[in-house]
Amino acid sequence: MAAKDRKTALIDHLKHAILTLELEPGSDLDEVALGEAFELSRTPVREVFRQLDGLGFVELRDNRGARVAALSHTTLRDFFLAAPMIYAAILRLAARNARPAQIEALKAAQAQFREALRTGVAAERALANNRFHEITGEMAGNIYLLPSFQRLLIDHARIGMSFYRPRTSQMVQNLDTARHHHDLIIAAIEVGDEDRAAELAEDHWALSRDQIELFVMPAALDAPLGEITRKTSA
Amino acid sequence: MAAKDRKTALIDHLKHAILTLELEPGSDLDEVALGEAFELSRTPVREVFRQLDGLGFVELRDNRGARVAALSHTTLRDFFLAAPMIYAAILRLAARNARPAQIEALKAAQAQFREALRTGVAAERALANNRFHEITGEMAGNIYLLPSFQRLLIDHARIGMSFYRPRTSQMVQNLDTARHHHDLIIAAIEVGDEDRAAELAEDHWALSRDQIELFVMPAALDAPLGEITRKTSA
DNA sequence: AAAATACAAATTGAATACAATTGGTATATT
DNA sequence: AATATACCAATTGTATTCAATTTGTATTTT
């Protein structure tokens, strides 16, 4: 029984470390080192790799080591193309199917998210936000949508970690808007307002997109040397 | 190198057998027996199970054997809820991004599908149809949509195998309509007509839904004993 | 000196051996 | 007789050993 626990501990560790960018996208995973660290032989470690590959955390290549799933420029484009649609569908179904116990869990997750905002630790915030959305996925309960949704959540967390530095007041303010969105989402789900829930999904992802724009395009200086063209993403 | 080939052979066999219902949903997979059959030790067989679990072909439960992914009543509901949306998105992106080589591959797949319709072997038809749609997924090339899409394709094939007997002329006719849809889809993709491609996706899935209704509700007898209400699904 | 080849070390993959868990059957108990 | 318990066989999970592939380095070749 002890080995099983060490195995789940490894899974949890890897998920956590990958979501928080503690393990960088594309970085190599050493099956021997991880085996020693978690007191497991290579066999179960490799099984964990294959499992996390199936979930989108990790990438497996033949005769080469496992790597943390990449997060490239093109994936960012794919992300904002797919996210609004999938997320709107998930929240619509969440509003349709949410059970009372799940709504309580969602409220608890939101409390955690608030707390993370207060303490200001980026990793905590990303994980709490991730947990919030995970619950909406459970509420929707559609086995065909979940695989894509969960992959979106993985990269949502990582993108959130990447493209945020609390330098500008706008970025800090966006976080508060996100928190407010969550509250509105909870309310829409609680009353079963599907259309409202789907609408909020759009808003919520637009916010994420804006956040990235802020990061990619820092506040312009006073005197423009050339012409500054405003990029419109995706 | 030989072992690697036997491993891929096992993967291909399982995928094939699962898609064609040769292996029934929910049936147990014996890792020892499969290992002997494909001249592999249990270790690689188990890795294959985990991989196919990640892809949605198989379900893994702790300390119990691997099973072919279930296909329950509730999954059927989930299916027709998610399929139109995902498929419309895939075809829209396919029309947007398809490359010439891919279009050729799609035409070849359609030729295979025609041939399968001619010979009338259900498994051949399901596999050819599956391949056709797989290519549209490759064309779309969005890593976030693919996981859900591929799971839909797995069950699309299996549902197609389940809910079809060429008894009624309507069912045979539906197949021809599906073939025609494919031709229209190819045309829309070739000219890059996104809206048309998305529209065709809706039609195509409506056809699948009607096909199931035909199966669940066989041709009514002459004299209605009670009232026959037409079901509208989802 | 640059490129190609050969070799060695390190890493990954598969097979075997060992341990733990599950499920069924027979025996015991009430 | 019905239920509970103990044991055994079968199956699953992990560790270890062995094989194959990759990768870095040194040597050779042009």
Side-chain angles (χ1 to χ4, degrees):
Chain A
M1 180 73 186
K4 210 49 132 337
D5 290 341
R6 296 198 297 273
K7 200 173 176 181
T8 33
L10 171 59
I11 292 173
D12 291 345
H13 163 73
L14 286 175
K15 282 184 178 176
H16 187 284
I18 290 170
L19 288 177
T20 60
L21 293 185
E22 187 187 321
L23 285 171
E24 287 177 27
S27 59
D28 292 306
L29 296 174
D30 186 338
E31 59 189 42
V32 177
L34 283 168
E36 283 170 6
F38 286 82
E39 296 180 84
L40 287 165
S41 71
R42 282 175 53 222
T43 311
V45 173
R46 295 174 112 252
E47 289 195 346
V48 166
F49 284 174
R50 271 226 151 62
Q51 180 176 336
L52 293 182
D53 175 72
L55 295 174
F57 286 90
V58 157
E59 286 166 355
L60 242 50
R61 290 154 312 151
D62 275 359
N63 290 323
R64 233 151 293 169
R67 286 191 174 175
V68 176
L71 198 58
S72 69
H73 175 68
T74 56
T75 64
L76 207 65
R77 216 190 133 74
D78 284 2
F79 182 81
F80 282 104
L81 216 56
M85 183 188 75
I86 297 286
Y87 200 67
I90 290 286
L91 278 191
R92 178 177 291 281
L93 289 178
R96 194 182 295 180
N97 302 325
R99 300 181 46 74
Q102 294 173 320
I103 292 174
E104 287 315 304
L106 194 63
K107 286 178 178 172
Q110 169 70 342
Q112 287 275 88
F113 184 62
R114 281 175 189 277
E115 180 61 17
L117 286 184
R118 208 182 56 73
T119 61
V121 182
E124 289 298 316
R125 176 167 44 74
L127 287 172
N129 183 60
N130 185 68
R131 182 70 197 125
F132 181 90
H133 293 307
E134 253 181 12
I135 294 172
T136 64
E138 291 168 15
M139 288 170 160
N142 186 302
I143 60 166
Y144 297 100
L145 293 183
L146 274 185
S148 283
F149 182 62
Q150 280 164 349
R151 274 169 178 76
L152 284 169
L153 287 187
I154 291 171
D155 286 353
H156 187 201
R158 302 200 297 174
I159 289 168
M161 289 291 293
S162 290
F163 297 101
Y164 178 76
R165 297 293 182 280
R167 290 191 204 112
T168 72
S169 64
Q170 181 60 48
M171 282 195 178
V172 176
Q173 195 180 314
N174 276 357
L175 282 184
D176 204 60
T177 308
R179 181 199 52 71
H180 185 232
H181 279 168
H182 284 193
D183 285 330
L184 297 175
I185 287 169
I186 293 174
I189 289 175
E190 206 160 16
V191 300
D193 189 339
E194 292 186 21
D195 292 335
R196 180 71 182 132
E199 197 176 87
L200 287 165
E202 303 282 349
D203 297 346
H204 199 54
W205 288 106
L207 182 69
S208 286
R209 202 195 51 219
D210 294 347
Q211 185 80 2
I212 291 183
E213 280 192 18
L214 278 177
F215 188 90
V216 176
M217 302 173 71
L221 297 178
D222 276 352
L225 297 175
E227 199 172 352
I228 297 178
T229 54
R230 176 164 176 78
K231 257 188 192 159
T232 53
S233 66
Chain B
M1 180 73 187
K4 210 47 133 339
D5 290 341
R6 296 198 298 273
K7 199 173 176 180
T8 34
L10 172 59
I11 293 173
D12 291 345
H13 163 73
L14 286 176
K15 282 184 179 176
H16 186 284
I18 290 170
L19 287 178
T20 61
L21 293 185
E22 188 186 322
L23 285 172
E24 286 176 28
S27 60
D28 292 306
L29 296 174
D30 185 338
E31 61 189 41
V32 177
L34 282 168
E36 284 171 7
F38 287 82
E39 297 180 83
L40 287 165
S41 69
R42 283 175 53 221
T43 312
V45 173
R46 296 176 112 251
E47 288 194 347
V48 166
F49 284 175
R50 270 226 150 61
Q51 181 175 336
L52 293 182
D53 175 72
L55 295 173
F57 285 90
V58 158
E59 287 165 355
L60 244 50
R61 290 155 311 151
D62 275 359
N63 289 324
R64 231 150 297 170
R67 287 191 173 175
V68 175
L71 196 60
S72 69
H73 175 68
T74 57
T75 64
L76 207 65
R77 214 191 135 74
D78 284 2
F79 182 80
F80 283 103
L81 216 55
M85 183 187 75
I86 298 285
Y87 200 68
I90 290 285
L91 278 191
R92 177 176 291 282
L93 290 178
R96 194 182 296 180
N97 302 325
R99 300 180 46 74
Q102 294 174 320
I103 293 174
E104 287 315 304
L106 194 62
K107 286 177 179 172
Q110 170 69 343
Q112 287 276 88
F113 184 61
R114 279 175 189 279
E115 180 62 17
L117 285 186
R118 207 181 57 71
T119 60
V121 182
E124 289 299 317
R125 176 166 44 77
L127 287 172
N129 184 59
N130 184 68
R131 181 70 196 127
F132 180 90
H133 292 308
E134 252 181 13
I135 294 172
T136 64
E138 291 168 16
M139 287 169 161
N142 186 302
I143 59 167
Y144 297 101
L145 292 184
L146 274 186
S148 283
F149 183 62
Q150 281 163 348
R151 274 171 177 75
L152 284 169
L153 286 187
I154 292 171
D155 286 354
H156 187 199
R158 304 200 296 173
I159 288 168
M161 290 290 294
S162 290
F163 296 101
Y164 178 76
R165 298 290 182 282
R167 290 191 205 116
T168 71
S169 64
Q170 181 60 49
M171 281 196 179
V172 177
Q173 194 180 316
N174 276 357
L175 282 184
D176 203 61
T177 307
R179 181 198 52 71
H180 185 233
H181 280 168
H182 285 193
D183 286 329
L184 296 176
I185 287 168
I186 293 174
I189 289 175
E190 206 160 18
V191 299
D193 189 341
E194 291 185 22
D195 292 336
R196 179 72 182 133
E199 198 176 87
L200 286 165
E202 303 282 348
D203 297 347
H204 200 54
W205 288 108
L207 183 68
S208 286
R209 201 195 51 218
D210 293 347
Q211 185 80 4
I212 291 183
E213 281 193 16
L214 276 178
F215 190 90
V216 177
M217 301 173 71
L221 297 177
D222 278 352
L225 298 174
E227 201 171 350
I228 297 178
T229 52
R230 178 168 175 77
K231 258 187 193 159
T232 53
S233 66

